[in-house]
Amino acid sequence: MLQTVTTIFLLIMMIWIMCLIFYCLIHAIRASTITDRIVANNMIDTMVILVIGLLAIYMKEGYLMDIAIIYAMISFLAIVVLCKVYIVVWKKDKK
């Protein structure tokens, strides 16, 4: 019984987070400023990491947690690079 409830809960949470990812994707496309797009991208990356973690629990596969950690590191580096590029462009436009 508890196994069934846990499975249903995990599936519902994954579906809900996927809907939120879709909403953030729409927000990233329609955003008026680059900072809004960077924040939406960061939110999408965070939710993808969460979905991978939930999938690891659902499938009882430990290697998916390793994939989630690697994805988190790559996501962090991508956001840092995007922010650095944005700062350089912003300083150039300000002059």
Side-chain angles (χ1 to χ4, degrees):
M1 178 68 182
L2 186 60
Q3 182 77 22
T4 306
V5 172
T6 305
T7 302
I8 292 171
F9 176 74
L10 288 172
L11 290 175
I12 289 172
M13 292 311 298
M14 282 190 274
I15 291 170
W16 177 251
I17 293 170
M18 289 301 210
C19 292
L20 292 175
I21 289 172
F22 183 70
Y23 174 74
C24 287
L25 182 64
I26 291 173
H27 180 72
I29 292 170
R30 298 182 71 198
S32 59
T33 63
I34 190 72
T35 54
D36 288 340
R37 291 179 181 162
I38 290 173
V39 169
N41 186 14
N42 195 16
M43 288 175 54
I44 290 170
D45 291 340
T46 302
M47 287 187 277
V48 166
I49 294 165
L50 183 59
V51 168
I52 293 171
L54 288 174
L55 193 62
I57 295 170
Y58 175 72
M59 295 176 61
K60 296 178 180 74
E61 296 289 342
Y63 70 89
L64 287 174
M65 291 304 245
D66 297 335
I67 292 172
I69 292 170
I70 292 169
Y71 187 82
M73 288 188 289
I74 292 171
S75 169
F76 172 74
L77 290 175
I79 294 299
V80 168
V81 168
L82 281 173
C83 289
K84 180 69 176 171
V85 168
Y86 173 67
I87 289 171
V88 168
V89 170
W90 181 69
K91 284 183 180 179
K92 186 184 284 186
D93 287 343
K94 209 165 184 187
K95 288 182 179 182

